[in-house]
Amino acid sequence: MEGMLGQVPSWMEDLAEPASEHSWGLFRDLNLGEDTELSGREKALIGVGVAAATSCPYCIYFHTEEARLGGVTDEELREAVNLAADTKYFSTVLHGNETDLDEFKAETDEIVEYITKQQAPADD
């Protein structure tokens, strides 16, 4: 940990002993790992969005700084936060109105099919 971060953050000491190694492994491999499907930049933007949606000031600060290290602009940070807010908003609408999940999935599939057809190259 110290080799990757330059220190052992004090908050890591708050983890219960049986979970400390596992928790560091998750953090290291998912957030800092280079052998993942998502780039560090993409992971940082996801982190900012989730942190904003969960209103966690610790995570907002960490992932914002992580994103800046990856060259993310202020405009991109704002967009990530707005996308998270959009998702949280519509999730509230869907859950609060008890939208039928099967109907929602069917409509989404129809939308995806329509857009896919619209994006297909025209036959000559």
Side-chain angles (χ1 to χ4, degrees), residues 66-79:
E66 175 188 28
R68 287 189 174 128
L69 279 173
V72 172
T73 66
D74 287 344
E75 292 79 18
E76 291 170 315
L77 286 169
R78 279 192 289 277
E79 186 171 336

Side-chain angles (χ1 to χ4, degrees), residues 110-121:
E110 291 170 6
I111 291 167
V112 169
E113 183 180 342
Y114 175 80
I115 292 172
T116 301
K117 286 180 182 177
Q118 297 301 311
Q119 293 175 342

Side-chain angles (χ1 to χ4, degrees), residues 5-41:
L5 303 177
Q7 64 177 284
V8 176
S10 60
W11 58 268
M12 288 296 275
E13 296 172 7
D14 292 334
L15 296 169
E17 189 54 43
S20 62
E21 282 299 314
H22 176 72
S23 297
W24 165 243
L26 284 172
F27 180 83
R28 178 195 63 226
D29 297 345
L30 288 174
N31 286 284
L32 306 176
E34 294 181 17
D35 190 27
T36 63
E37 298 300 318
L38 298 175
S39 70
R41 193 172 200 284

Side-chain angles (χ1 to χ4, degrees), residues 38-96:
L38 298 175
S39 70
R41 193 172 200 284
E42 292 167 327
K43 290 186 273 188
L45 285 168
I46 291 168
V48 168
V50 171
T54 59
S55 303
C56 177
Y58 305 98
C59 296
I60 291 169
Y61 185 79
F62 177 85
H63 291 293
T64 298
E65 295 307 308
E66 175 188 28
R68 287 189 174 128
L69 279 173
V72 172
T73 66
D74 287 344
E75 292 79 18
E76 291 170 315
L77 286 169
R78 279 192 289 277
E79 186 171 336
V81 169
N82 278 268
L83 283 166
D86 182 59
T87 301
K88 191 171 181 179
Y89 169 79
F90 282 105
S91 176
T92 301
V93 170
L94 293 165
H95 279 87

